Amino acid sequence: MAAQFGRRLRKGAATTAVAAVAVAALSASQAPGVNDHGRQAAADATPSPEASASDGSATGNSPYYTDLPPLKSPNPSPSTGPAPGGAGATEAGIPATVLDAYKKAEATLREAKPGCNLPWQLLAAIGRVESGQARGGRVDADGTTIKKILGPQLDGNGFALIKDTDDGAYDGNSSYDQAVGPMQFIPSTWAWAGRDGNGDGKKDPNNIYDAALAAGHYLCRNNWDLSQQSELDRAILSYNNSRDYLNLVMRWLDYYRKGTHEVPDGAGTLPGNRSDDGSGASPTPTVPGATTPAGSTPRPGPKPDKPGKPDKPGKPDKPAGGGTTTPKPPTTPPGTPSTPPTTPPTPTDTVDHLEDAGTAKLTAMAGDAFGRRISTRAETEAGKAVAKVRVRFTIVGDTDTTFTGGEDVATVSTNSSGVAVAPALQAGEKTGTVTVRATVVGRAVPGLDYKATVTERAADALARTGDAALTCAPGGTFANQVEVKATYKGAVADGVAATATLIKSADDPAVTDKGPYFKDADGKTVRTLTGLKTDAKGLLKLPKLYADDTTGTFLLRVTTTGGATLTVELTVAAAETSSPAPSASPSA
């Protein structure tokens, strides 16, 4: 791979010193900035002096890629060609499935460990340094790497000494451990840190969804808050206990925070430099015809024979059977390029379009779960269903509606019928139309938009919670306050908007101008209350009622969104006075 603006580190015996100088030089060449958390830019911040690695590390301190981010913007214009030094738009891009895994892990941790404040860009930075984003996104539809990504065996020969802990189950090595997968976990760490990130019931370090979620949980352990620089330092150092590693990850973190974009799976840029002395060991992939990366030391070939006396000119060697040897012409003319092996298309490669798979009308009240779910089918150009394709569902626009669990993005693999069913939608409080867009992960085909409607919370029944008579003397205060309960289809109707009005009669809902009344905040008379809402139990308790000097029977009407209505009778009457007892007749 071409050099990135000449800023990559050249590796050799003085790896640590060179890395430190290169990082310092790049830091000096870029002005300090402020990131989206208001802190000093992560890459320019000085690691906290109290930061230290925990016991062990996720990777066993295995080698890592040391390529630095480009100096250009992470979001180059699509119209511009490759940047100087050969760094093109793919340099900043992250393969679609890999990016999806990082964002899904962030969303899961946001719910599971909200105090950790894990940004997906940190997972991307570590994934770039550990495996070049899963070797440029060479993963299948389920997110599993096409080939295993293995670090060198940790046999103490230039690396840590970690004897086999998994009987070769993950790394195929029954003598020593090796870092495994796109996030380079050693088996002993994966044994407790492994997670199932794609819901297939397995914890596979070679799957980017599982590995990204495991890395997120690993970085969020010990109640670390990654929005704090000192704790971010500790978390990164616990992944690989190296200050050079910390500085490099921080620089990629800062780079991805400034922006990135999605590139097709398999189209990501492969890094070329590693922190160990050689470049031949995996995870650096071997590409036929590739040149040795700059700064690496090629493995020595077989030793040449010792020089002897040259053959006499004009006398070719005789074959065993006598006679002279006539060289056979090459079967392939010199200069003819070799034909690369044909890679069979993946299921994703065959997808031509998405079709609705029978999704019904999507409607729910604010705060409720939608009763129906979105179904999408992936099809070829001929209309044939395609299984094992990842479909991403994204909620777009200004809405607080989410999928169950609070996420606004969900990725689902199509089943044997080519159908992907999105998680259930959970309506927020904002009413109106919500758009959910279905796209194919790793394939540039038009998306399919679905419309869902969120309506106001409603009640279809109202009832008083008590039956005490509501009476008052002229000019007095009603002793009992009116309380009602709202329900919808028999269930509690919470958060439902309501209005209370003192009306003229059962046949005339106009506001009366005499009789009972409420008081506003200034003590003024009001006979209509708006902006009322039922509480979590569906209850609504009205303010105190007062009476003027008018006696008689009056009506209070309570209405809610959804049409529920309740009319309550109020009585204002003077207190009854008892008749005096008749006086006794005088005695005769």
Side-chain angles (χ1 to χ4, degrees):
M1 177 186 145
Q4 301 175 9
F5 307 103
R7 308 300 298 184
R8 284 181 173 152
L9 302 183
R10 297 186 178 275
K11 293 297 151 186
T15 297
T16 303
V18 175
V21 171
V23 171
L26 186 55
S27 299
S29 69
Q30 294 175 309
V34 177
N35 62 26
D36 53 359
H37 294 284
R39 303 192 310 271
Q40 182 184 4
D44 296 310
T46 302
S48 302
E50 68 271 22
S52 61
S54 63
D55 293 337
S57 71
T59 69
N61 299 325
S62 293
Y64 53 91
Y65 288 116
T66 56
D67 293 9
L68 296 173
L71 296 176
K72 290 258 182 187
S73 165
N75 288 317
S77 170
S79 62
T80 61
T90 55
E91 194 74 50
I94 299 177
T97 297
V98 178
L99 180 59
D100 186 61
Y102 296 152
K103 291 186 175 182
K104 185 175 181 180
E106 179 201 54
T108 301
L109 268 298
R110 188 187 308 130
E111 181 179 1
K113 297 183 179 181
C116 177
N117 296 305
L118 171 79
W120 67 260
Q121 292 91 339
L122 176 59
L123 297 176
I126 291 176
R128 182 61 166 77
V129 170
E130 291 295 344
S131 70
Q133 310 297 19
R135 288 181 175 170
R138 285 158 177 76
V139 295
D140 64 18
D142 295 322
T144 303
T145 57
I146 303 299
K147 293 182 179 180
K148 284 188 175 182
I149 303 175
L150 297 174
Q153 68 176 12
L154 301 175
D155 57 3
N157 184 20
F159 313 112
L161 174 59
I162 303 179
K163 293 187 177 181
D164 175 65
T165 61
D166 65 328
D167 199 26
Y170 293 118
D171 54 15
N173 189 336
S174 58
S175 298
Y176 301 95
D177 273 354
Q178 294 175 248
V180 181
M183 302 305 278
Q184 290 288 278
F185 280 93
I186 54 174
S188 58
T189 303
W190 183 260
W192 62 265
R195 294 291 190 278
D196 177 14
N198 61 354
D200 64 356
K202 298 183 295 183
K203 300 175 182 179
D204 183 3
N206 299 294
N207 182 279
I208 185 58
Y209 287 92
D210 294 1
L213 183 59
H217 275 281
Y218 185 92
L219 294 164
C220 286
R221 73 196 192 289
N222 299 331
N223 294 319
W224 281 328
D225 178 0
L226 303 186
S227 66
Q228 302 297 318
Q229 188 64 54
S230 61
E231 296 187 16
L232 176 62
D233 290 350
R234 289 191 181 97
I236 296 172
L237 283 170
S238 76
Y239 211 90
N240 191 309
N241 189 14
S242 162
R243 283 284 170 167
D244 292 335
Y245 181 88
L246 169 62
N247 292 337
L248 185 60
V249 168
M250 296 276 271
R251 183 150 296 284
W252 278 105
L253 170 60
D254 184 53
Y255 181 75
Y256 286 135
R257 273 178 169 161
K258 292 175 182 176
T260 186
H261 58 276
E262 178 180 290
V263 298
D265 289 344
T269 302
L270 293 174
N273 298 290
R274 294 203 321 167
S275 59
D276 57 328
D277 291 337
S279 63
S282 179
T284 301
T286 301
V287 182
T291 58
T292 303
S296 63
T297 304
R299 295 180 180 273
K303 294 182 179 180
D305 294 333
K306 293 182 179 180
K309 294 182 179 180
D311 291 335
K312 294 181 179 180
K315 291 185 178 181
D317 293 336
K318 291 183 179 182
T324 60
T325 302
T326 304
K328 294 182 179 180
T331 56
T332 303
T336 302
S338 60
T339 303
T342 302
T343 303
T346 65
T348 301
D349 295 332
T350 67
V351 176
D352 177 75
H353 60 274
L354 294 174
E355 288 285 346
D356 176 45
T359 303
K361 186 178 181 180
L362 299 167
T363 303
M365 285 197 303
D368 288 352
F370 282 76
R372 298 182 181 273
R373 296 160 70 177
I374 295 171
S375 297
T376 300
R377 184 171 53 254
E379 296 183 354
T380 64
E381 186 176 6
K384 183 179 179 181
V386 186
K388 295 184 178 180
V389 172
R390 298 194 72 82
V391 176
R392 178 185 299 139
F393 297 95
T394 305
I395 301 173
V396 298
D398 183 18
T399 179
D400 55 355
T401 292
T402 64
F403 292 113
T404 303
E407 302 176 17
D408 56 10
V409 177
T411 305
V412 181
S413 291
T414 56
N415 59 20
S416 58
S417 301
V419 176
V421 180
L425 286 166
Q426 177 69 39
E429 295 303 318
K430 292 183 179 179
T431 59
T433 302
V434 177
T435 300
V436 180
R437 181 165 299 149
T439 56
V440 178
V441 175
R443 179 80 170 156
V445 298
L448 188 61
D449 284 357
Y450 293 85
K451 302 296 181 182
T453 304
V454 180
T455 62
E456 290 185 276
R457 293 173 182 256
D460 56 13
L462 282 172
R464 280 190 65 193
T465 58
D467 56 4
L470 298 169
T471 60
C472 179
T477 302
F478 283 81
N480 298 311
Q481 290 177 246
V482 177
E483 184 180 67
V484 299
K485 183 174 183 177
T487 56
Y488 183 79
K489 295 182 179 181
V492 167
D494 61 313
V496 177
T499 300
T501 307
L502 290 150
I503 60 177
K504 290 183 177 180
S505 68
D507 299 325
D508 186 357
V511 181
T512 185
D513 57 358
K514 57 184 177 181
Y517 61 90
F518 299 105
K519 290 182 180 181
D520 64 12
D522 298 325
K524 295 180 180 179
T525 299
V526 291
R527 290 189 167 90
T528 298
L529 296 177
T530 59
L532 305 173
K533 277 193 175 183
T534 59
D535 65 14
K537 296 180 179 180
L539 299 176
L540 173 62
K541 191 170 187 177
L542 299 180
K544 288 183 179 181
L545 277 163
Y546 303 88
D548 60 13
D549 294 335
T550 308
T551 59
T553 300
F554 303 89
L555 298 178
L556 169 66
R557 180 163 290 172
V558 182
T559 60
T560 69
T561 303
T565 302
L566 176 67
T567 302
V568 180
E569 190 173 278
L570 307 173
T571 302
V572 179
E576 293 184 7
T577 55
S578 56
S579 301
S583 57
S585 300
S587 56

